[in-house]
Amino acid sequence: MSRATYRCACGALLEYKQDIESDRGATSRTWRCKDCATPVPGMIGEKLSHQHPS
């Protein structure tokens, strides 16, 4: 599986689960940048949530 990265609107590079926060809704999770709380696309958030720094 390839590694996912995402550049947030605030300029932060999101690479690991520590870089994002999740909000559990009734049916699904939504993801936000930990620095500025900008929403992260769902597919990217899911991939990042499984990545750990080695």
Side-chain angles (χ1 to χ4, degrees), residues 20-52:
I20 57 176
E21 296 178 328
S22 72
D23 290 328
R24 287 195 179 267
T27 58
S28 65
R29 283 193 282 191
T30 57
W31 302 97
R32 296 179 289 135
C33 172
K34 201 167 201 171
D35 292 341
C36 68
T38 299
V40 173
M43 215 39 182
I44 299 294
E46 283 298 325
K47 287 182 179 181
L48 294 175
S49 72
H50 297 285
Q51 292 183 172
H52 306 272

PDB file of all heavy atoms in Angstrom, residues 20-52:
ATOM      1  N   ILE A  20      -3.958  14.281  12.464  1.00  0.00           N
ATOM      2  CA  ILE A  20      -5.380  14.513  12.228  1.00  0.00           C
ATOM      3  C   ILE A  20      -6.195  14.160  13.470  1.00  0.00           C
ATOM      4  O   ILE A  20      -5.726  13.460  14.360  1.00  0.00           O
ATOM      5  CB  ILE A  20      -5.898  13.696  11.023  1.00  0.00           C
ATOM      6  CG1 ILE A  20      -5.637  12.203  11.223  1.00  0.00           C
ATOM      7  CG2 ILE A  20      -5.295  14.196   9.726  1.00  0.00           C
ATOM      8  CD1 ILE A  20      -6.209  11.306  10.135  1.00  0.00           C
ATOM      9  N   GLU A  21      -7.416  14.689  13.521  1.00  0.00           N
ATOM     10  CA  GLU A  21      -8.367  14.367  14.587  1.00  0.00           C
ATOM     11  C   GLU A  21      -9.630  13.842  13.927  1.00  0.00           C
ATOM     12  O   GLU A  21      -9.987  14.278  12.832  1.00  0.00           O
ATOM     13  CB  GLU A  21      -8.723  15.620  15.392  1.00  0.00           C
ATOM     14  CG  GLU A  21      -7.564  16.216  16.134  1.00  0.00           C
ATOM     15  CD  GLU A  21      -7.940  17.485  16.873  1.00  0.00           C
ATOM     16  OE1 GLU A  21      -8.821  18.226  16.404  1.00  0.00           O
ATOM     17  OE2 GLU A  21      -7.332  17.738  17.922  1.00  0.00           O
ATOM     18  N   SER A  22     -10.310  12.938  14.588  1.00  0.00           N
ATOM     19  CA  SER A  22     -11.551  12.417  14.017  1.00  0.00           C
ATOM     20  C   SER A  22     -12.752  12.861  14.839  1.00  0.00           C
ATOM     21  O   SER A  22     -12.659  13.060  16.046  1.00  0.00           O
ATOM     22  CB  SER A  22     -11.515  10.889  13.943  1.00  0.00           C
ATOM     23  OG  SER A  22     -11.637  10.329  15.218  1.00  0.00           O
ATOM     24  N   ASP A  23     -13.852  13.003  14.142  1.00  0.00           N
ATOM     25  CA  ASP A  23     -15.154  13.251  14.765  1.00  0.00           C
ATOM     26  C   ASP A  23     -16.039  12.097  14.345  1.00  0.00           C
ATOM     27  O   ASP A  23     -16.270  11.882  13.158  1.00  0.00           O
ATOM     28  CB  ASP A  23     -15.777  14.558  14.258  1.00  0.00           C
ATOM     29  CG  ASP A  23     -15.054  15.783  14.763  1.00  0.00           C
ATOM     30  OD1 ASP A  23     -14.529  15.738  15.886  1.00  0.00           O
ATOM     31  OD2 ASP A  23     -15.019  16.785  14.035  1.00  0.00           O
ATOM     32  N   ARG A  24     -16.497  11.334  15.322  1.00  0.00           N
ATOM     33  CA  ARG A  24     -17.388  10.212  14.993  1.00  0.00           C
ATOM     34  C   ARG A  24     -18.821  10.729  14.925  1.00  0.00           C
ATOM     35  O   ARG A  24     -19.351  11.248  15.893  1.00  0.00           O
ATOM     36  CB  ARG A  24     -17.291   9.128  16.050  1.00  0.00           C
ATOM     37  CG  ARG A  24     -16.009   8.359  15.959  1.00  0.00           C
ATOM     38  CD  ARG A  24     -16.137   7.083  16.775  1.00  0.00           C
ATOM     39  NE  ARG A  24     -14.913   6.314  16.683  1.00  0.00           N
ATOM     40  CZ  ARG A  24     -14.713   5.357  15.785  1.00  0.00           C
ATOM     41  NH1 ARG A  24     -15.641   5.065  14.921  1.00  0.00           N
ATOM     42  NH2 ARG A  24     -13.576   4.704  15.762  1.00  0.00           N
ATOM     43  N   GLY A  25     -19.398  10.551  13.738  1.00  0.00           N
ATOM     44  CA  GLY A  25     -20.796  10.906  13.561  1.00  0.00           C
ATOM     45  C   GLY A  25     -21.661   9.676  13.762  1.00  0.00           C
ATOM     46  O   GLY A  25     -21.184   8.612  14.157  1.00  0.00           O
ATOM     47  N   ALA A  26     -22.931   9.807  13.469  1.00  0.00           N
ATOM     48  CA  ALA A  26     -23.853   8.693  13.632  1.00  0.00           C
ATOM     49  C   ALA A  26     -23.543   7.562  12.659  1.00  0.00           C
ATOM     50  O   ALA A  26     -23.679   6.393  12.994  1.00  0.00           O
ATOM     51  CB  ALA A  26     -25.282   9.177  13.430  1.00  0.00           C
ATOM     52  N   THR A  27     -23.110   7.902  11.450  1.00  0.00           N
ATOM     53  CA  THR A  27     -22.879   6.867  10.439  1.00  0.00           C
ATOM     54  C   THR A  27     -21.436   6.760   9.966  1.00  0.00           C
ATOM     55  O   THR A  27     -21.047   5.742   9.427  1.00  0.00           O
ATOM     56  CB  THR A  27     -23.768   7.113   9.206  1.00  0.00           C
ATOM     57  OG1 THR A  27     -23.477   8.407   8.685  1.00  0.00           O
ATOM     58  CG2 THR A  27     -25.238   7.029   9.565  1.00  0.00           C
ATOM     59  N   SER A  28     -20.657   7.808  10.135  1.00  0.00           N
ATOM     60  CA  SER A  28     -19.279   7.762   9.647  1.00  0.00           C
ATOM     61  C   SER A  28     -18.396   8.730  10.429  1.00  0.00           C
ATOM     62  O   SER A  28     -18.875   9.526  11.225  1.00  0.00           O
ATOM     63  CB  SER A  28     -19.230   8.111   8.159  1.00  0.00           C
ATOM     64  OG  SER A  28     -19.639   9.443   7.971  1.00  0.00           O
ATOM     65  N   ARG A  29     -17.088   8.639  10.145  1.00  0.00           N
ATOM     66  CA  ARG A  29     -16.131   9.552  10.776  1.00  0.00           C
ATOM     67  C   ARG A  29     -15.797  10.673   9.805  1.00  0.00           C
ATOM     68  O   ARG A  29     -15.761  10.473   8.601  1.00  0.00           O
ATOM     69  CB  ARG A  29     -14.838   8.818  11.107  1.00  0.00           C
ATOM     70  CG  ARG A  29     -14.935   7.963  12.316  1.00  0.00           C
ATOM     71  CD  ARG A  29     -13.580   7.534  12.770  1.00  0.00           C
ATOM     72  NE  ARG A  29     -13.101   6.442  11.933  1.00  0.00           N
ATOM     73  CZ  ARG A  29     -12.042   5.700  12.203  1.00  0.00           C
ATOM     74  NH1 ARG A  29     -11.337   5.944  13.263  1.00  0.00           N
ATOM     75  NH2 ARG A  29     -11.682   4.739  11.406  1.00  0.00           N
ATOM     76  N   THR A  30     -15.523  11.834  10.358  1.00  0.00           N
ATOM     77  CA  THR A  30     -14.972  12.936   9.564  1.00  0.00           C
ATOM     78  C   THR A  30     -13.612  13.261  10.154  1.00  0.00           C
ATOM     79  O   THR A  30     -13.350  13.012  11.332  1.00  0.00           O
ATOM     80  CB  THR A  30     -15.884  14.180   9.600  1.00  0.00           C
ATOM     81  OG1 THR A  30     -16.085  14.576  10.955  1.00  0.00           O
ATOM     82  CG2 THR A  30     -17.232  13.894   8.951  1.00  0.00           C
ATOM     83  N   TRP A  31     -12.743  13.802   9.341  1.00  0.00           N
ATOM     84  CA  TRP A  31     -11.366  14.059   9.747  1.00  0.00           C
ATOM     85  C   TRP A  31     -11.056  15.538   9.616  1.00  0.00           C
ATOM     86  O   TRP A  31     -11.538  16.208   8.727  1.00  0.00           O
ATOM     87  CB  TRP A  31     -10.411  13.245   8.866  1.00  0.00           C
ATOM     88  CG  TRP A  31     -10.687  11.785   8.947  1.00  0.00           C
ATOM     89  CD1 TRP A  31     -11.427  11.038   8.082  1.00  0.00           C
ATOM     90  CD2 TRP A  31     -10.243  10.897   9.971  1.00  0.00           C
ATOM     91  NE1 TRP A  31     -11.470   9.737   8.505  1.00  0.00           N
ATOM     92  CE2 TRP A  31     -10.750   9.614   9.659  1.00  0.00           C
ATOM     93  CE3 TRP A  31      -9.473  11.042  11.119  1.00  0.00           C
ATOM     94  CZ2 TRP A  31     -10.504   8.510  10.448  1.00  0.00           C
ATOM     95  CZ3 TRP A  31      -9.228   9.930  11.901  1.00  0.00           C
ATOM     96  CH2 TRP A  31      -9.740   8.686  11.562  1.00  0.00           C
ATOM     97  N   ARG A  32     -10.205  16.042  10.548  1.00  0.00           N
ATOM     98  CA  ARG A  32      -9.794  17.440  10.549  1.00  0.00           C
ATOM     99  C   ARG A  32      -8.299  17.532  10.783  1.00  0.00           C
ATOM    100  O   ARG A  32      -7.713  16.693  11.479  1.00  0.00           O
ATOM    101  CB  ARG A  32     -10.504  18.205  11.667  1.00  0.00           C
ATOM    102  CG  ARG A  32     -11.983  18.289  11.515  1.00  0.00           C
ATOM    103  CD  ARG A  32     -12.632  19.038  12.652  1.00  0.00           C
ATOM    104  NE  ARG A  32     -12.565  18.220  13.866  1.00  0.00           N
ATOM    105  CZ  ARG A  32     -12.216  18.676  15.063  1.00  0.00           C
ATOM    106  NH1 ARG A  32     -11.926  19.930  15.240  1.00  0.00           N
ATOM    107  NH2 ARG A  32     -12.168  17.871  16.096  1.00  0.00           N
ATOM    108  N   CYS A  33      -7.693  18.589  10.261  1.00  0.00           N
ATOM    109  CA  CYS A  33      -6.286  18.898  10.536  1.00  0.00           C
ATOM    110  C   CYS A  33      -6.162  19.225  12.018  1.00  0.00           C
ATOM    111  O   CYS A  33      -6.969  19.984  12.564  1.00  0.00           O
ATOM    112  CB  CYS A  33      -5.852  20.086   9.688  1.00  0.00           C
ATOM    113  SG  CYS A  33      -4.214  20.732  10.084  1.00  0.00           S
ATOM    114  N   LYS A  34      -5.170  18.668  12.676  1.00  0.00           N
ATOM    115  CA  LYS A  34      -4.994  18.906  14.111  1.00  0.00           C
ATOM    116  C   LYS A  34      -4.539  20.339  14.393  1.00  0.00           C
ATOM    117  O   LYS A  34      -4.814  20.886  15.453  1.00  0.00           O
ATOM    118  CB  LYS A  34      -3.972  17.921  14.665  1.00  0.00           C
ATOM    119  CG  LYS A  34      -4.072  17.723  16.140  1.00  0.00           C
ATOM    120  CD  LYS A  34      -3.279  16.531  16.578  1.00  0.00           C
ATOM    121  CE  LYS A  34      -3.768  16.050  17.915  1.00  0.00           C
ATOM    122  NZ  LYS A  34      -3.181  14.791  18.300  1.00  0.00           N
ATOM    123  N   ASP A  35      -3.867  20.974  13.433  1.00  0.00           N
ATOM    124  CA  ASP A  35      -3.363  22.334  13.639  1.00  0.00           C
ATOM    125  C   ASP A  35      -4.448  23.404  13.518  1.00  0.00           C
ATOM    126  O   ASP A  35      -4.493  24.332  14.322  1.00  0.00           O
ATOM    127  CB  ASP A  35      -2.246  22.644  12.642  1.00  0.00           C
ATOM    128  CG  ASP A  35      -0.990  21.837  12.908  1.00  0.00           C
ATOM    129  OD1 ASP A  35      -0.825  21.317  14.036  1.00  0.00           O
ATOM    130  OD2 ASP A  35      -0.166  21.714  11.987  1.00  0.00           O
ATOM    131  N   CYS A  36      -5.313  23.271  12.489  1.00  0.00           N
ATOM    132  CA  CYS A  36      -6.250  24.361  12.217  1.00  0.00           C
ATOM    133  C   CYS A  36      -7.714  23.930  12.154  1.00  0.00           C
ATOM    134  O   CYS A  36      -8.581  24.771  11.946  1.00  0.00           O
ATOM    135  CB  CYS A  36      -5.874  25.047  10.913  1.00  0.00           C
ATOM    136  SG  CYS A  36      -6.123  24.006   9.448  1.00  0.00           S
ATOM    137  N   ALA A  37      -7.989  22.648  12.287  1.00  0.00           N
ATOM    138  CA  ALA A  37      -9.349  22.089  12.273  1.00  0.00           C
ATOM    139  C   ALA A  37     -10.031  22.164  10.910  1.00  0.00           C
ATOM    140  O   ALA A  37     -11.242  22.049  10.817  1.00  0.00           O
ATOM    141  CB  ALA A  37     -10.221  22.729  13.347  1.00  0.00           C
ATOM    142  N   THR A  38      -9.258  22.348   9.836  1.00  0.00           N
ATOM    143  CA  THR A  38      -9.813  22.317   8.491  1.00  0.00           C
ATOM    144  C   THR A  38     -10.182  20.881   8.141  1.00  0.00           C
ATOM    145  O   THR A  38      -9.408  19.965   8.402  1.00  0.00           O
ATOM    146  CB  THR A  38      -8.779  22.856   7.468  1.00  0.00           C
ATOM    147  OG1 THR A  38      -8.468  24.206   7.798  1.00  0.00           O
ATOM    148  CG2 THR A  38      -9.311  22.782   6.050  1.00  0.00           C
ATOM    149  N   PRO A  39     -11.360  20.656   7.547  1.00  0.00           N
ATOM    150  CA  PRO A  39     -11.743  19.296   7.170  1.00  0.00           C
ATOM    151  C   PRO A  39     -10.765  18.675   6.165  1.00  0.00           C
ATOM    152  O   PRO A  39     -10.254  19.353   5.280  1.00  0.00           O
ATOM    153  CB  PRO A  39     -13.118  19.471   6.534  1.00  0.00           C
ATOM    154  CG  PRO A  39     -13.632  20.756   7.080  1.00  0.00           C
ATOM    155  CD  PRO A  39     -12.426  21.625   7.283  1.00  0.00           C
ATOM    156  N   VAL A  40     -10.510  17.390   6.335  1.00  0.00           N
ATOM    157  CA  VAL A  40      -9.648  16.611   5.439  1.00  0.00           C
ATOM    158  C   VAL A  40     -10.570  15.661   4.680  1.00  0.00           C
ATOM    159  O   VAL A  40     -11.484  15.094   5.277  1.00  0.00           O
ATOM    160  CB  VAL A  40      -8.608  15.816   6.270  1.00  0.00           C
ATOM    161  CG1 VAL A  40      -7.813  14.869   5.402  1.00  0.00           C
ATOM    162  CG2 VAL A  40      -7.685  16.770   7.011  1.00  0.00           C
ATOM    163  N   PRO A  41     -10.362  15.486   3.361  1.00  0.00           N
ATOM    164  CA  PRO A  41     -11.207  14.549   2.614  1.00  0.00           C
ATOM    165  C   PRO A  41     -11.241  13.170   3.281  1.00  0.00           C
ATOM    166  O   PRO A  41     -10.217  12.681   3.776  1.00  0.00           O
ATOM    167  CB  PRO A  41     -10.537  14.481   1.241  1.00  0.00           C
ATOM    168  CG  PRO A  41      -9.812  15.790   1.116  1.00  0.00           C
ATOM    169  CD  PRO A  41      -9.357  16.124   2.512  1.00  0.00           C
ATOM    170  N   GLY A  42     -12.404  12.544   3.297  1.00  0.00           N
ATOM    171  CA  GLY A  42     -12.619  11.289   4.002  1.00  0.00           C
ATOM    172  C   GLY A  42     -11.670  10.171   3.623  1.00  0.00           C
ATOM    173  O   GLY A  42     -11.143   9.468   4.484  1.00  0.00           O
ATOM    174  N   MET A  43     -11.437   9.976   2.330  1.00  0.00           N
ATOM    175  CA  MET A  43     -10.564   8.900   1.869  1.00  0.00           C
ATOM    176  C   MET A  43      -9.130   9.128   2.355  1.00  0.00           C
ATOM    177  O   MET A  43      -8.468   8.191   2.792  1.00  0.00           O
ATOM    178  CB  MET A  43     -10.600   8.887   0.349  1.00  0.00           C
ATOM    179  CG  MET A  43     -10.521   7.609  -0.352  1.00  0.00           C
ATOM    180  SD  MET A  43     -11.383   6.255   0.344  1.00  0.00           S
ATOM    181  CE  MET A  43     -10.860   5.098  -0.850  1.00  0.00           C
ATOM    182  N   ILE A  44      -8.669  10.365   2.301  1.00  0.00           N
ATOM    183  CA  ILE A  44      -7.318  10.702   2.770  1.00  0.00           C
ATOM    184  C   ILE A  44      -7.243  10.501   4.281  1.00  0.00           C
ATOM    185  O   ILE A  44      -6.290   9.931   4.798  1.00  0.00           O
ATOM    186  CB  ILE A  44      -6.951  12.157   2.406  1.00  0.00           C
ATOM    187  CG1 ILE A  44      -6.973  12.365   0.900  1.00  0.00           C
ATOM    188  CG2 ILE A  44      -5.617  12.552   3.001  1.00  0.00           C
ATOM    189  CD1 ILE A  44      -5.921  11.603   0.137  1.00  0.00           C
ATOM    190  N   GLY A  45      -8.249  10.964   5.003  1.00  0.00           N
ATOM    191  CA  GLY A  45      -8.277  10.804   6.460  1.00  0.00           C
ATOM    192  C   GLY A  45      -8.209   9.345   6.878  1.00  0.00           C
ATOM    193  O   GLY A  45      -7.489   8.996   7.812  1.00  0.00           O
ATOM    194  N   GLU A  46      -8.943   8.480   6.176  1.00  0.00           N
ATOM    195  CA  GLU A  46      -8.915   7.052   6.493  1.00  0.00           C
ATOM    196  C   GLU A  46      -7.520   6.469   6.275  1.00  0.00           C
ATOM    197  O   GLU A  46      -7.024   5.693   7.080  1.00  0.00           O
ATOM    198  CB  GLU A  46      -9.941   6.289   5.654  1.00  0.00           C
ATOM    199  CG  GLU A  46     -11.361   6.446   6.129  1.00  0.00           C
ATOM    200  CD  GLU A  46     -11.604   5.907   7.531  1.00  0.00           C
ATOM    201  OE1 GLU A  46     -10.997   4.888   7.917  1.00  0.00           O
ATOM    202  OE2 GLU A  46     -12.404   6.518   8.241  1.00  0.00           O
ATOM    203  N   LYS A  47      -6.880   6.829   5.165  1.00  0.00           N
ATOM    204  CA  LYS A  47      -5.536   6.322   4.895  1.00  0.00           C
ATOM    205  C   LYS A  47      -4.538   6.813   5.946  1.00  0.00           C
ATOM    206  O   LYS A  47      -3.723   6.050   6.450  1.00  0.00           O
ATOM    207  CB  LYS A  47      -5.078   6.737   3.506  1.00  0.00           C
ATOM    208  CG  LYS A  47      -5.776   5.983   2.397  1.00  0.00           C
ATOM    209  CD  LYS A  47      -5.250   6.398   1.047  1.00  0.00           C
ATOM    210  CE  LYS A  47      -5.929   5.628  -0.058  1.00  0.00           C
ATOM    211  NZ  LYS A  47      -5.426   6.000  -1.376  1.00  0.00           N
ATOM    212  N   LEU A  48      -4.625   8.115   6.266  1.00  0.00           N
ATOM    213  CA  LEU A  48      -3.703   8.676   7.259  1.00  0.00           C
ATOM    214  C   LEU A  48      -3.913   8.050   8.636  1.00  0.00           C
ATOM    215  O   LEU A  48      -2.953   7.892   9.397  1.00  0.00           O
ATOM    216  CB  LEU A  48      -3.864  10.188   7.349  1.00  0.00           C
ATOM    217  CG  LEU A  48      -3.464  10.996   6.128  1.00  0.00           C
ATOM    218  CD1 LEU A  48      -3.798  12.476   6.351  1.00  0.00           C
ATOM    219  CD2 LEU A  48      -2.012  10.832   5.799  1.00  0.00           C
ATOM    220  N   SER A  49      -5.139   7.676   8.946  1.00  0.00           N
ATOM    221  CA  SER A  49      -5.431   7.125  10.268  1.00  0.00           C
ATOM    222  C   SER A  49      -4.744   5.776  10.504  1.00  0.00           C
ATOM    223  O   SER A  49      -4.648   5.333  11.644  1.00  0.00           O
ATOM    224  CB  SER A  49      -6.936   6.986  10.471  1.00  0.00           C
ATOM    225  OG  SER A  49      -7.467   5.940   9.692  1.00  0.00           O
ATOM    226  N   HIS A  50      -4.261   5.148   9.450  1.00  0.00           N
ATOM    227  CA  HIS A  50      -3.586   3.863   9.568  1.00  0.00           C
ATOM    228  C   HIS A  50      -2.062   3.970   9.433  1.00  0.00           C
ATOM    229  O   HIS A  50      -1.371   2.969   9.492  1.00  0.00           O
ATOM    230  CB  HIS A  50      -4.111   2.883   8.518  1.00  0.00           C
ATOM    231  CG  HIS A  50      -5.562   2.571   8.705  1.00  0.00           C
ATOM    232  ND1 HIS A  50      -6.018   1.737   9.704  1.00  0.00           N
ATOM    233  CD2 HIS A  50      -6.655   3.016   8.063  1.00  0.00           C
ATOM    234  CE1 HIS A  50      -7.343   1.679   9.637  1.00  0.00           C
ATOM    235  NE2 HIS A  50      -7.755   2.438   8.645  1.00  0.00           N
ATOM    236  N   GLN A  51      -1.565   5.177   9.255  1.00  0.00           N
ATOM    237  CA  GLN A  51      -0.120   5.377   9.080  1.00  0.00           C
ATOM    238  C   GLN A  51       0.517   5.811  10.393  1.00  0.00           C
ATOM    239  O   GLN A  51       0.045   6.732  11.052  1.00  0.00           O
ATOM    240  CB  GLN A  51       0.147   6.430   7.984  1.00  0.00           C
ATOM    241  CG  GLN A  51      -0.250   5.959   6.631  1.00  0.00           C
ATOM    242  CD  GLN A  51       0.052   6.945   5.514  1.00  0.00           C
ATOM    243  OE1 GLN A  51      -0.092   6.592   4.374  1.00  0.00           O
ATOM    244  NE2 GLN A  51       0.468   8.153   5.799  1.00  0.00           N
ATOM    245  N   HIS A  52       1.578   5.143  10.755  1.00  0.00           N
ATOM    246  CA  HIS A  52       2.318   5.413  11.989  1.00  0.00           C
ATOM    247  C   HIS A  52       3.750   5.774  11.630  1.00  0.00           C
ATOM    248  O   HIS A  52       4.333   5.156  10.741  1.00  0.00           O
ATOM    249  CB  HIS A  52       2.356   4.176  12.890  1.00  0.00           C
ATOM    250  CG  HIS A  52       1.002   3.629  13.183  1.00  0.00           C
ATOM    251  ND1 HIS A  52       0.234   4.065  14.228  1.00  0.00           N
ATOM    252  CD2 HIS A  52       0.258   2.678  12.553  1.00  0.00           C
ATOM    253  CE1 HIS A  52      -0.903   3.414  14.244  1.00  0.00           C
ATOM    254  NE2 HIS A  52      -0.919   2.558  13.237  1.00  0.00           N
TER     255      HIS A  52
END
